[in-house]
Amino acid sequence: MRNIKMTIEYDGSRYLGWQKLGDSDKTIQGKIENILSEMTKTTSDIIGSGRTDAGTHARGQIANFKTTSNMELIAMRDHLNTYLPRDIVVKKLEEVPERFHARYNATGKQYSYYVWNTPVPSAFERTYSYHHPEQLDVTKMNEACKILTGTHDFIGFSSLKKTKKSTVRTIKEITIHKEGDLLHFTFIGDGFLYKMIRIIMGTLLEIGIGKMSPEHIDTLFESGIRSDAGMTVPAQGLFLDEVFY
Amino acid sequence: MRNIKMTIEYDGSRYLGWQKLGDSDKTIQGKIENILSEMTKTTSDIIGSGRTDAGTHARGQIANFKTTSNMELIAMRDHLNTYLPRDIVVKKLEEVPERFHARYNATGKQYSYYVWNTPVPSAFERTYSYHHPEQLDVTKMNEACKILTGTHDFIGFSSLKKTKKSTVRTIKEITIHKEGDLLHFTFIGDGFLYKMIRIIMGTLLEIGIGKMSPEHIDTLFESGIRSDAGMTVPAQGLFLDEVFY
């Protein structure tokens, strides 16, 4: 059996997220599997590196699937892109060893979050960023990012109920770049809990407007109480940039 | 009467263009006039710097309107942005002398056209560029741009039927920048005929793939025959960047 690794880009605006939900036609995984199945004339289950929420975008989602098809990779890629909706694009297909598993072998991920930070909205960034009109103190937010970096129990930054699974994660780096009126946050870590980045972002915004102090992050690590953190910012500003193996 | 100059940004994807068409709700001018009329409780006709075609975008369309309203400019801007669809944004409102006319006083315009120039499409640039998979010879296209620059009769690069109005225009500058897989063309001129930039772009692409030579531009200036030029490329790659006064 061939094992094929896919790099996928999508504009998540119209979808319920990556993960297939029953017969729903509104997931990215579902859309790709439908076309793969028709193309290879067999049922094709694809394994994603992980879920992305409804409305979240991806520049480099990774998935793999096994197939007996002899079709060449470029012909396969072009066939997929011809039949996929235009907001889902297969950027690259690669032959990988049979043991490669897009989820189990992932060692880390990079996400971006964009904040449109000026009173007047943007017609072009409206579905790719979160509009936050009030001015943000980037120095204070950077201080908070330093405290967030490292290995911590992030249960307070998650929508998870009490769970037996570990909620300890390692954030390697958070950076903030100003690109005109857009603030670009990047997060690199070994993995992120459900809604973790969106809740961290909501907390960073509270710190940016002075409603919380950077040191509040320490309190949150100690309490682990979700309601001590900021709001969950909208998914439309979130991009899965890259999966590391 | 106050005379107010507006700077408007729009994603043209969902619209029939700038110019109001009867009762249609599908034009940018129509959308803005409806909200202005309700806000000022009088009929508000707005004068645009010129039309943009169905599907064309704008970063800096200029318009003006007269009003007896005493509302402050920032309150007016925020009111408009609250009620406008999110793909139309009023970036700026300025008080101008009563004689200012957005169309008659315009001395020039800058447009951009984007070509996504690689075999694999883009999920994010799909509605903001034209996907042209074949490789393009930028040197040859730049030679053609030099010939296009200056004062010429552009009738051959227009969808206009024979007309008594002058079809002579001056192009001050055309530049081509490579930004990753995106080719960014900018056009600065005193004015552009109906569909002129899209037909010039179609001709530049023919030159870029070697089907026409840069010198073919001279032949086109001599013949003035539309069918000697390239195709009209789609409006979705076109942006009105700026209007000069």
Side-chain angles (χ1 to χ4, degrees), chain A residues 28-96:
Chain A
I28 293 112
Q29 186 188 12
K31 287 279 183 199
I32 300 175
E33 282 188 0
N34 285 346
I35 293 161
L36 260 186
S37 299
E38 276 177 48
M39 188 177 80
T40 60
K41 309 286 179 214
T42 53
T43 315
S44 293
D45 290 324
I46 62 177
I47 297 158
S49 73
R51 305 180 183 197
T52 56
D53 294 342
T56 298
H57 315 293
R59 297 194 179 97
Q61 169 69 295
I62 301 292
N64 74 295
F65 66 96
K66 302 203 171 178
T67 184
T68 51
S69 158
N70 292 319
M71 204 168 172
E72 279 190 42
L73 292 179
I74 289 186
M76 219 181 246
R77 180 198 74 191
D78 290 347
H79 179 100
L80 284 162
N81 288 331
T82 303
Y83 293 100
L84 278 170
R86 292 182 62 213
D87 48 11
I88 303 176
V89 174
V90 174
K91 299 301 267 190
K92 201 159 69 174
L93 293 179
E94 295 161 274
E95 211 88 38
V96 285

Side-chain angles (χ1 to χ4, degrees), chain A residues 149-190:
Chain A
T149 307
T151 303
H152 305 282
D153 185 344
F154 284 94
I155 182 79
F157 296 94
S158 150
S159 314
L160 292 167
K161 310 276 168 219
K162 262 192 184 160
T163 168
K164 280 187 184 168
K165 285 191 187 169
S166 169
T167 47
V168 173
R169 294 290 183 276
T170 301
I171 296 184
K172 283 190 191 144
E173 195 179 56
I174 311 177
T175 58
I176 310 175
H177 283 108
K178 202 171 153 52
E179 299 163 4
D181 289 326
L182 209 56
L183 281 179
H184 176 187
F185 296 74
T186 58
F187 295 83
I188 301 178
D190 62 353

Side-chain angles (χ1 to χ4, degrees), chain A residues 122-126 128, chain B residues 8-14 18 28 49-62 87 91 108-116 124-131 173 175 179 182-189 192 195-198 201 233-244:
Chain A
S122 162
F124 299 111
E125 298 299 334
R126 73 191 191 283
Y128 305 119
Chain B
I8 307 150
E9 178 180 271
Y10 47 86
D11 178 333
S13 307
R14 299 193 305 133
W18 166 263
I28 293 114
S49 74
R51 304 181 184 197
T52 56
D53 294 344
T56 298
H57 314 292
R59 296 194 181 98
Q61 170 69 296
I62 301 291
D87 49 11
K91 301 300 266 190
K109 282 180 184 166
Q110 179 183 314
Y111 282 91
S112 286
Y113 197 90
Y114 294 89
V115 176
W116 184 253
F124 299 111
E125 298 299 334
R126 71 190 192 283
T127 51
Y128 304 119
S129 67
Y130 171 54
H131 184 207
E173 194 179 55
T175 58
E179 299 163 3
L182 209 56
L183 282 178
H184 177 187
F185 296 74
T186 57
F187 296 82
I188 301 177
F192 297 92
K195 294 200 176 159
M196 175 171 150
I197 292 178
R198 290 163 61 191
M201 275 304 312
V233 293
Q236 67 190 40
L238 188 61
F239 287 70
L240 170 56
D241 292 326
E242 205 178 337
V243 185
F244 306 113

Side-chain angles (χ1 to χ4, degrees), chain A residues 111-116 129-130 132 136 141 144-145 148 157 171 174-176 183-187 195-209 212 217 226 229-235 237-239:
Chain A
Y111 282 90
S112 286
Y113 197 90
Y114 295 89
V115 175
W116 184 253
S129 68
Y130 171 54
H132 183 88
L136 293 164
M141 291 193 295
C145 292
L148 284 159
F157 296 94
I171 296 184
I174 311 177
T175 58
I176 310 175
L183 281 179
H184 176 187
F185 296 74
T186 58
F187 295 83
K195 294 201 176 158
M196 176 170 148
I197 293 179
R198 290 163 61 192
I199 297 169
I200 290 181
M201 275 305 311
T203 311
L204 287 176
L205 295 181
E206 298 277 21
I207 293 166
I209 58 171
M212 289 180 186
I217 302 286
R226 166 68 189 91
M231 67 178 261
T232 306
V233 294
L238 188 62
F239 287 70

Side-chain angles (χ1 to χ4, degrees), chain A residues 219-238:
Chain A
T219 318
L220 252 153
F221 281 143
E222 277 163 46
S223 77
I225 297 168
R226 166 68 189 91
S227 57
D228 289 347
M231 67 178 261
T232 306
V233 294
Q236 68 190 38
L238 188 62

Side-chain angles (χ1 to χ4, degrees), chain B residues 18-32:
Chain B
W18 166 263
Q19 180 111 336
K20 198 167 54 175
L21 296 163
D23 289 336
S24 169
D25 198 30
K26 279 298 184 196
T27 68
I28 293 114
Q29 186 188 13
K31 287 279 183 200
I32 300 175

